[in-house]
Amino acid sequence: MKKYENIALYLKKNIENGTFKEGDAIDSELALSKKFNVSRYTVRKAISKLENEGIIEKKQGKGNFVKHKGPLKIQGGVSFSSEIIKQGKTPSTNTVEIIIMDPDKLIKDKLKLTNGEKVINIKRIRYVDFEKVSFENEYYPYSLIPDINVSITNSSIYNYLESEKNIILNYAEQTIDIVKSDEMIFKYLGVEINNKILHVNILSFDQNGKPFNYGDAYYINNNFQLFMKVFNN
């Protein structure tokens, strides 16, 4: 890795983990050149890279700052990928684990499984415009997606279920709260342990009222809005 790329990576990681928040000034060129023992030209090259990626903005006479972005809106109970695309942004996913396992009592009850039924546990990191936004730890009945693979989980599972299995999301029950980051969240999102993070627990139901997805999502975006529509039926 080139020296300027190493500096850019350092800055990007500190933005992702919240050390530098939106609107914050990053380390000065002089401080970075001393920290990495490089010329200020090399530092400027790193900063220009992040500026071109829309992460940092220069303010004349003031320095370099983490760029403000418009709020990221996620509508409760719908496909993450579909919602991000609607906002003109680019969603992407990194599947870090797929496990076929026996469910514990909580998961078995939530998904209304019979004795002996297995589940698929999928852990994924979600990105918007190539920046980490969330970590998901979810469960699906194995019988629903026995052909599960990374090409499915790295795109939209909901879209796959609708197009290939005729399983259509009807509604979802969600619980939203603020929790403290733990070792798992630190591992996948880089949020320091005990720092506060937005947590969404979800249970999704298909067109027949049958639960098919249960799990948790943790969001680190500092400009995040959860959008929900409430109907009076």
Side-chain angles (χ1 to χ4, degrees):
M1 182 179 292
K2 296 179 179 179
K3 291 181 179 179
Y4 82 91
E5 292 176 328
N6 191 39
I7 298 168
L9 181 61
Y10 160 80
L11 292 171
K12 186 179 285 189
K13 283 185 175 179
N14 277 278
I15 291 169
E16 289 176 350
N17 66 26
T19 300
F20 299 131
K21 298 179 173 59
E22 286 190 25
D24 283 355
I26 64 169
D27 295 339
S28 69
E29 291 181 5
L30 179 60
L32 288 169
S33 65
K34 288 181 177 179
K35 181 179 180 67
F36 290 92
N37 194 28
V38 297
S39 68
R40 294 183 70 169
Y41 169 79
T42 301
V43 173
R44 290 191 192 105
K45 195 172 180 181
I47 291 172
S48 292
K49 181 179 187 297
L50 297 183
E51 187 178 17
N52 291 335
E53 293 177 10
I55 297 172
I56 284 176
E57 60 182 346
K58 294 180 180 178
K59 294 184 180 180
Q60 193 66 33
K62 294 183 178 180
N64 300 296
F65 296 79
V66 181
K67 191 172 182 179
H68 282 287
K69 297 182 178 181
L72 175 62
K73 295 182 179 180
I74 303 295
Q75 184 173 346
V78 301
S79 166
F80 175 90
S81 298
S82 298
E83 280 301 299
I84 298 305
I85 291 171
K86 285 179 184 177
Q87 296 174 53
K89 302 177 187 293
T90 302
S92 56
T93 302
N94 176 27
T95 301
V96 295
E97 193 170 71
I98 301 175
I99 299 176
I100 300 169
M101 58 184 288
D102 294 317
D104 61 22
K105 186 178 186 306
L106 173 65
I107 297 166
K108 179 181 176 183
D109 290 346
K110 291 290 185 181
L111 293 176
K112 299 189 183 304
L113 302 173
T114 59
N115 290 335
E117 281 194 84
K118 292 186 179 294
V119 294
I120 303 167
N121 177 213
I122 302 168
K123 293 183 175 71
R124 303 187 290 178
I125 301 171
R126 298 286 209 165
Y127 300 80
V128 174
D129 292 340
F130 309 105
E131 292 184 36
K132 284 183 183 180
V133 169
S134 68
F135 168 69
E136 297 175 350
N137 184 24
E138 298 185 298
Y139 299 87
Y140 294 82
Y142 174 69
S143 59
L144 204 63
I145 330 176
D147 51 348
I148 191 71
N149 58 64
V150 172
S151 66
I152 296 172
T153 59
N154 273 358
S155 55
S156 171
I157 298 177
Y158 280 21
N159 288 347
Y160 172 81
L161 288 173
E162 182 171 346
S163 63
E164 301 296 328
K165 306 292 184 178
N166 196 32
I167 301 296
I168 302 171
L169 172 67
N170 185 19
Y171 68 96
E173 297 176 352
Q174 294 184 325
T175 302
I176 305 166
D177 58 359
I178 301 296
V179 299
K180 290 184 178 181
S181 175
D182 57 17
E183 291 183 2
M184 182 175 66
I185 303 304
F186 174 74
K187 177 180 178 181
Y188 293 118
L189 293 182
V191 177
E192 293 294 333
I193 293 174
N194 289 327
N195 280 11
K196 292 180 180 179
I197 189 168
L198 180 68
H199 166 242
V200 179
N201 176 265
I202 185 169
L203 178 62
S204 297
F205 297 80
D206 66 16
Q207 67 270 35
N208 299 312
K210 184 176 181 179
F212 68 91
N213 171 217
Y214 176 73
D216 301 279
Y218 303 87
Y219 293 88
I220 62 172
N221 191 288
N222 293 320
N223 200 9
F224 169 83
Q225 292 181 354
L226 184 67
F227 173 66
M228 306 184 75
K229 288 182 179 180
V230 179
F231 297 92
N232 183 16
N233 293 324

